[in-house]
Amino acid sequence: MKIKIIIYFSFFITAALLLISAGKKNFIPTPIKFVVPKGFPSVATNIFLKNKLTEEGFELGKKMFYDARLSKDGEISCGSCHQQFASFSTYDHDLSHGVNNSFSNRNAPALINLAWMKEWHWDGGINHLEMQPLSPLSAANEMGEKLDTVILKLKADTAYVRMYKAAFGDATVTTERMLKAFAQFTGSLVSADSKYDKVKRGEATFILPEQKGYEIFKANCNGCHREPLFTDNSFRNNGIALNRFNDVGRQTITQDKKDSLKFKVPTLRNVALTLPYMHDGQINSLENVINHYTGLDTNFINLDPLLKKRINFTDKEKRQLVLFLYTLTDTSFTKNKRFAP
Amino acid sequence: MSKLFFLLLCMVAQSCCVAQKKQLSMPVVFQNICKGEKSILNINLVNAFEENYTITKFKYYVSNIKFVTDKKIKNAAGVYLIDASKKNIISIMVPSEKVSGISFLLGVDSILNCSGAQSGALDPLNDMFWTWNNGYIFFKVEGNSANSKADLHRIEHHIGGFKGNNKTMTEIYLPINSKVLLKRKKLVIQLDIDKYWNGINKLKIAEMPVIATPGKPAKYAANNFTGMFSIKNNKKIRIEN
């Protein structure tokens, strides 16, 4: 009798354990290790601490990034305005196109090395990388779609349902999961293999004009465009007047007059590919950006203190500086198939 | 065989004892009223400045809600979105010590405002999150009034802000008659929307029909938060509720 009970009991336990494990059996996501490139600082906020980076999550994020169906009219994806060959900015467009032939009010910034930022967008209005997609998805002049409709579209697509299951263990599509998957893709866009990086690693050398340009850069530009990220991620007023959209930049977020016309210092990595320049794309070439700084009105209201000192370059120095900036182009990044649709 | 049954009996008995020791919880109901009127949505209301108005949407966050005693009580987890179009009942543990009041945060703390993607009450699907200037809208009133000069005579108060001078999340403390608590099956916290317009600060719809960002106007409005809340029948002990 006793033996019988013990046998039944153990059988029951085994069956229960099997049932429990069956539910999770197919959920073995492939972890990805986020690598900080040599010479880079550690990431500002470890976005992948609570959002475990996995191959399945990354692939899901990528698919959504390139999916125009998520927009209101089915025409615009994240990738429409963030083109890989332009370092994930919009090539040769001052402003980007949104749904129904609308235009954005700002120049699409390059999406690189986002994991080292603390605040995103030109005005820093985004406080966590995961929350960023909500803005372009819903803005009337970007993808123009309501969040609940985006979720419904994802739920209705069997390919997505499969991918959500692969990434998160079950097929439930939630805002939280969607945003986490987006961040796994965008946070993985790391660019750190330009000629400049190779020189720093001792794998290449600058030619003389590049070297001269680098010295000019270190003496005049490094204060804001700090190496190795080529931005200090601060918000500064660089003497660009109020534009036709009355865009006061950082002040919109802080409601503080001291932040009037301050915008985020953009990275200069891949800068040769991210034309045109400034928050509204009003300057069309690197030469003219340099001319903006050498010709700056140093009495401009609220101008950044670092720009108060007049910068003077000869034409030769300007050319050398541009040649140095060209060494920041990382084609292994812009051609990386892993980031392509 | 009989030994085995005895063992089983012991286990069942033990688990029963554990269940009995468990703290009691009490349902706390958030009721949104206007000068005694029990419903506030889609009906004609009048404020102290003789402005007629209608509310179509009324939602706010309540977090860290707990009974207060002499002893220090741990912060309570859980964020609740109170929505005037729904029943809003939160179950709270009643401590064994004498209760002096109830406290909660109107809004959510700054950490939760920048923790990335979240679910439940904090899911951006609830339409209480600013996508362009990240942070949660703590308190949302939408509606219409002939006195509003905004587009379509709308009222749109989206009150939030969690940083520096723009902080609007507000700690609310309501003293409780402890005798009342013992007699009750539930506790009703009332929010009187009339006191939102007419509190320490005077919010005329004609002057402030729209507040949609953190900043000074939001701060000005949030100063009225504390005065909106009270406990229903806090003095009467015998009451049917």
Side-chain angles (χ1 to χ4, degrees):
Chain A
M1 187 66 187
K2 258 185 193 173
I3 290 166
K4 229 181 186 177
I5 286 172
I6 288 166
I7 288 170
Y8 278 135
F9 191 69
S10 55
F11 183 75
F12 175 76
I13 293 285
T14 326
L17 282 174
L18 272 172
L19 266 172
I20 291 164
S21 62
K24 292 176 179 173
K25 204 175 166 187
N26 298 325
F27 184 52
I28 316 156
T30 323
I32 303 176
K33 197 173 181 293
F34 183 81
V35 181
V36 175
K38 203 180 160 194
F40 269 40
S42 55
V43 281
T45 44
N46 197 342
I47 48 163
F48 299 128
L49 206 68
K50 282 186 187 163
N51 180 13
K52 293 280 179 246
L53 188 57
T54 65
E55 201 58 48
E56 291 78 4
F58 172 90
E59 284 300 326
L60 171 60
K62 183 166 94 173
K63 184 177 164 69
M64 294 192 294
F65 186 89
Y66 286 112
D67 193 344
R69 293 175 303 165
L70 300 186
S71 68
K72 191 179 179 70
D73 66 0
E75 296 288 330
I76 310 284
S77 73
C78 309
S80 307
C81 303
H82 297 285
Q83 303 159 320
Q84 187 182 5
F85 67 90
S87 189
F88 291 95
S89 70
T90 317
Y91 192 73
D92 201 19
H93 279 59
D94 52 351
L95 308 172
S96 304
H97 300 278
V99 292
N100 299 323
N101 295 310
S102 57
F103 278 103
S104 62
N105 292 356
R106 289 186 184 149
N107 182 256
L111 304 187
I112 55 167
N113 303 336
L114 301 176
W116 283 267
M117 294 183 186
K118 281 181 187 158
E119 289 147 314
W120 295 261
H121 281 192
W122 280 105
D123 57 19
I126 307 299
N127 67 25
H128 195 291
L129 183 59
E130 286 168 15
M131 302 318 258
Q132 195 282 336
L134 293 172
S135 173
L137 280 169
S138 63
N141 60 351
E142 295 185 56
M143 293 170 74
E145 190 56 288
K146 279 161 63 184
L147 179 59
D148 47 0
T149 315
V150 174
I151 301 288
L152 283 177
K153 285 177 182 179
L154 293 169
K155 279 181 177 167
D157 185 316
T158 50
Y160 275 122
V161 169
R162 268 200 307 277
M163 290 178 86
Y164 270 82
K165 192 172 178 186
F168 298 107
D170 66 74
T172 320
V173 179
T174 64
T175 322
E176 182 174 349
R177 287 174 171 185
M178 176 187 78
L179 295 175
K180 287 199 153 132
F182 267 125
Q184 292 200 23
F185 176 66
T186 55
S188 297
L189 299 171
V190 177
S191 177
D193 201 23
S194 61
K195 180 171 183 183
Y196 161 85
D197 297 296
K198 291 190 175 101
V199 171
K200 283 282 161 183
R201 297 197 298 257
E203 296 160 15
T205 46
F206 284 137
I207 58 170
L208 188 63
E210 290 169 347
Q211 182 61 41
K212 293 271 186 200
Y214 183 34
E215 275 147 29
I216 293 164
F217 171 84
K218 281 194 285 189
N220 297 281
C221 318
N222 201 26
C224 308
H225 296 286
R226 200 170 298 151
E227 297 172 80
L229 295 165
F230 288 87
T231 171
D232 65 352
N233 286 321
S234 62
F235 302 90
R236 295 172 190 266
N237 179 327
N238 68 340
I240 299 276
L242 188 67
N243 68 12
R244 59 201 183 281
F245 308 116
N246 290 317
D247 187 351
V248 289
R250 184 70 177 155
Q251 190 189 347
T252 318
I253 303 304
T254 60
Q255 302 289 323
D256 188 341
K257 278 215 170 96
K258 282 189 299 231
D259 291 328
S260 173
L261 292 175
K262 285 187 184 174
F263 292 90
K264 186 167 216 191
V265 176
T267 177
L268 297 185
R269 287 183 170 274
N270 297 322
V271 74
L273 307 172
T274 61
L275 71 153
Y277 305 103
M278 304 301 163
H279 62 273
D280 56 4
Q282 63 174 264
I283 302 184
N284 56 10
S285 70
L286 284 175
E287 289 77 3
N288 284 338
V289 171
I290 295 168
N291 289 336
H292 165 78
Y293 287 115
T294 55
L296 206 55
D297 169 13
T298 49
N299 291 319
F300 190 84
I301 296 165
N302 206 26
L303 185 70
D304 193 84
L306 286 180
L307 292 170
K308 294 260 184 200
K309 199 188 95 197
R310 180 155 287 289
I311 302 170
N312 288 309
F313 294 144
T314 63
D315 284 351
K316 192 179 176 186
E317 286 170 329
K318 288 179 187 175
R319 282 197 298 276
Q320 288 167 336
L321 183 53
V322 169
L323 280 175
F324 166 69
L325 293 175
Y326 285 168
T327 72
L328 298 176
T329 301
D330 174 6
T331 47
S332 76
F333 172 76
T334 56
K335 289 179 179 164
N336 190 342
K337 288 215 169 71
R338 194 168 156 67
F339 302 138
Chain B
M1 189 64 195
S2 59
K3 265 184 193 169
L4 205 81
F5 269 119
F6 182 70
L7 211 79
L8 217 75
L9 211 74
C10 283
M11 275 163 75
V12 170
Q14 205 182 11
S15 66
C16 284
C17 289
V18 170
Q20 268 180 358
K21 267 187 200 165
K22 241 170 101 178
Q23 262 185 315
L24 288 170
S25 72
M26 175 171 276
V28 174
V29 180
F30 276 81
Q31 212 175 61
N32 304 294
I33 63 164
C34 183
K35 293 182 285 190
E37 194 73 49
K38 270 190 183 167
S39 71
I40 60 165
L41 289 184
N42 305 310
I43 54 165
N44 189 39
L45 303 169
V46 189
N47 68 15
F49 318 109
E50 290 176 355
E51 294 173 309
N52 284 279
Y53 66 102
T54 311
I55 295 176
T56 52
K57 221 180 246 178
F58 186 65
K59 299 200 265 188
Y60 53 95
Y61 278 113
V62 164
S63 62
N64 195 17
I65 182 162
K66 63 199 179 206
F67 285 113
V68 179
T69 66
D70 291 341
K71 262 175 73 181
K72 205 171 173 254
I73 294 175
K74 273 193 292 183
N75 279 355
V79 176
Y80 306 90
L81 181 58
I82 308 297
D83 183 339
S85 70
K86 290 173 185 157
K87 281 211 160 136
N88 301 287
I89 304 168
I90 303 170
S91 185
I92 311 175
M93 289 302 168
V94 183
S96 47
E97 297 85 18
K98 192 183 162 193
V99 169
S100 58
I102 189 164
S103 77
F104 60 90
L105 192 69
L106 178 60
V108 290
D109 68 26
S110 52
I111 293 168
L112 289 174
N113 274 281
C114 34
S115 296
Q118 294 167 85
S119 290
L122 295 173
D123 189 328
L125 266 182
N126 293 320
D127 220 9
M128 294 290 278
F129 187 78
W130 277 303
T131 59
W132 55 277
N133 182 5
N134 283 179
Y136 285 93
I137 296 167
F138 300 149
F139 181 86
K140 185 185 233 184
V141 189
E142 287 182 14
N144 308 283
S145 169
N147 297 73
S148 161
K149 290 179 196 82
D151 178 45
L152 299 172
H153 299 294
R154 76 178 86 218
I155 300 171
E156 201 172 291
H157 280 209
H158 295 176
I159 311 298
F162 65 93
K163 274 184 278 191
N165 293 330
N166 294 337
K167 270 185 192 167
T168 52
M169 59 276 216
T170 308
E171 183 81 39
I172 310 282
Y173 172 76
L174 303 168
I176 292 176
N177 179 344
S178 60
K179 283 178 194 159
V180 165
L181 199 66
L182 291 172
K183 301 277 177 181
R184 297 284 174 84
K185 288 200 183 85
K186 66 178 180 186
L187 190 74
V188 178
I189 294 178
Q190 289 183 320
L191 178 153
D192 188 347
I193 186 68
D194 192 57
K195 292 179 177 153
Y196 173 63
W197 311 108
N198 184 28
I200 300 168
N201 291 330
K202 308 298 169 198
L203 300 179
K204 286 185 186 163
I205 295 165
E207 286 165 11
M208 294 179 140
V210 177
I211 305 174
T213 64
K216 274 191 188 135
K219 190 90 188 147
Y220 184 80
N223 280 335
N224 285 354
F225 283 168
T226 308
M228 300 188 299
F229 293 97
S230 63
I231 287 174
K232 190 182 177 187
N233 298 321
N234 196 25
K235 283 174 189 151
K236 294 181 200 165
I237 294 170
R238 266 169 227 281
I239 189 89
E240 292 300 313
N241 58 23

